[in-house]
Amino acid sequence: RARASDDELLELLLGRPSGDLELAVVLDLDGDALAELGLSEDERSRVILAAEIARRHQPHEGDVVSVKDPRHAVALVRDLRTSTSRQTVLLLLDRRMRLQESFSLAAAACGHSGCPPVPAAAIARLIAGQGAVSGILAHNHVNGEASPTAGDIEFTTSLHSACAEAGVELTDHLVVARRGSVSLRKRS
């Protein structure tokens, strides 16, 4: 079964057509702001409940002590979910899998076809040069779909090899989108 679009989810949540409302915006609003948009009390209650459930099941940056699970890494790069431009972030981890530092890389580091990637060896050297033991690469798909492209998979393979040559580990490569995220490590 295909995943519902944001518009379809909002219509299901409201129980009526959503007009020009956007799910990501609506979920960030409080009750008063939702009332100003013309939502009934029942609609506001359902939206606030859905937003609270979503927040409880998305780890917060402050809760991340170590990055042992893709969800923890996604929490650190959550702004990628709603970015309207392609972004790539490199998370550097120490031996205990704790975040040392994060770097925004050129949007070209995403590995998408039609977009020349930053060389995998340069990313591996950056991880090693900062004294990190491993790194997690994360980039977004602005189309809202987190499914990895062939370019994503090919770039992950190149980066994994480059990291091994540099004596560091590629812990994961995450594709992040409004509709979710995918860990290429868990997929392989």
Side-chain angles (χ1 to χ4, degrees), residues 54-182:
R55 277 191 270 288
R56 286 185 185 192
H57 290 278
Q58 176 64 46
H60 298 287
E61 187 173 343
D63 297 341
V64 177
V65 175
S66 60
V67 184
K68 295 182 179 177
D69 182 280
R71 289 182 320 124
H72 299 149
V74 169
L76 293 169
V77 297
R78 67 178 170 263
D79 290 344
L80 294 180
R81 282 189 186 276
T82 56
S83 178
T84 56
S85 62
R86 290 196 294 206
Q87 305 282 324
T88 303
V89 174
L90 177 64
L91 304 174
L92 303 181
L93 307 174
D94 67 12
R95 282 184 169 66
R96 292 184 174 172
M97 301 298 288
R98 293 180 302 201
L99 180 68
Q100 274 186 263
E101 195 166 352
S102 66
F103 289 94
S104 285
L105 302 177
C110 62
H112 291 281
S113 57
C115 156
V118 170
I123 295 173
R125 284 192 303 273
L126 177 60
I127 297 169
Q130 295 296 316
V133 171
S134 65
I136 297 174
L137 188 70
H139 78 275
N140 65 335
H141 283 181
V142 295
N143 68 359
E145 296 295 331
S147 299
T149 65
D152 294 336
I153 294 166
E154 182 180 321
F155 189 74
T156 301
T157 302
S158 298
L159 184 55
H160 186 26
S161 297
C163 285
E165 289 176 21
V168 294
E169 180 185 352
L170 175 63
T171 301
D172 208 340
H173 180 178
L174 304 170
V175 180
V176 179
R178 278 181 290 119
R179 297 183 188 120
S181 61
V182 172

Side-chain angles (χ1 to χ4, degrees), residues 29-49:
L29 298 176
D30 64 16
D32 293 336
L34 292 170
E36 289 178 22
L37 290 176
L39 272 64
S40 71
E41 186 174 341
D42 286 344
E43 291 170 336
R44 291 191 308 265
S45 294
R46 288 192 304 269
V47 168
I48 290 169
L49 177 61

